[in-house]
């Protein structure tokens, strides 16, 4: 099985400026960007106006590597920063569950593992060492 660990920079409303800066400073290509407002509507969880213009996800290409950049949803970024996280991309939901549960032992679940519009199994967990992992299932 192939796994991928990608640095994920999480900011508090400055992602657009950071993306432009990293593109210029690192000669990175902006491969993808989407705001919270551009995502699919979910009547059960409407996006507040304060979040609509924030970057939900962006991918910058640096040579053969990826760098993910996004803004935290308003009111969710903790004081510890959590600015740099690790996004683990795995090929199946079973592996996602195994990794998620193992990282959650002695840690804290930030977002339970479950289906979301961009992944069949996605969740966020902070391990017992204070490192936050996003578990992303690619299919």
């Amino acid at each position: 099985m192939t796994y991928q660990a990608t640095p994920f920079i999480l900011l508090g409303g400055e992602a657009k400026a950071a993306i432009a800066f990293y593109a210029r400073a690192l000669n990175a290509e902006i491969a993808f960007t989407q705001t919270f407002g551009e995502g699919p509507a979910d009547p059960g969880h409407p996006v507040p106006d304060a979040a609509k213009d924030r970057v939900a996800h962006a991918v910058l290409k640096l040579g053969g590597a990826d760098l993910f950049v996004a803004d935290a949803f308003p009111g969710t970024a903790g004081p510890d920063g959590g600015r740099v996280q690790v996004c683990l991309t795995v090929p199946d939901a079973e592996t996602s569950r195994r990794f998620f549960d193992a990282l959650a032992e002695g840690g804290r679940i930030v977002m339970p593992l479950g289906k979301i519009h961009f992944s069949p199994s996605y969740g966020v967990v902070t391990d017992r060492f204070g490192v936050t992992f996003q578990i992303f299932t690619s299919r």
Side-chain angles (χ1 to χ4, degrees):
M1 284 192 184
T2 301
Y3 309 117
Q4 183 177 350
T6 305
F8 196 116
I9 297 172
L10 188 63
L11 300 168
E14 309 89 7
K16 285 182 180 178
I19 291 164
F21 172 75
Y22 295 137
R24 185 179 70 254
L26 303 174
N27 198 30
E29 171 196 345
I30 301 170
F32 176 82
T33 186
Q34 182 179 56
T35 65
F36 286 105
E38 293 169 332
D42 180 353
H45 299 92
V47 176
D49 288 339
K52 287 183 179 176
D53 200 39
R54 284 187 174 211
V55 176
H57 188 59
V59 178
L60 282 75
K61 298 283 188 185
L62 292 90
D66 288 344
L67 176 64
F68 295 166
V69 181
D71 284 314
F73 208 73
T76 61
D80 63 356
R83 289 185 181 269
V84 178
Q85 301 180 356
V86 178
C87 182
L88 292 176
T89 301
V90 298
D92 59 81
E94 181 180 319
T95 304
S96 290
R97 173 57 60 192
R98 186 167 40 98
F99 284 5
F100 188 87
D101 290 346
L103 290 166
E105 288 180 24
R108 178 178 59 85
I109 294 173
V110 178
M111 179 180 177
L113 192 65
K115 183 175 172 49
I116 194 162
H117 72 276
F118 56 82
S119 174
S121 187
Y122 174 83
V124 182
V125 61
T126 300
D127 72 11
R128 65 183 182 186
F129 303 105
V131 177
T132 300
F133 289 86
Q134 297 182 35
I135 309 298
F136 171 76
T137 308
S138 58
R139 52 186 155 107

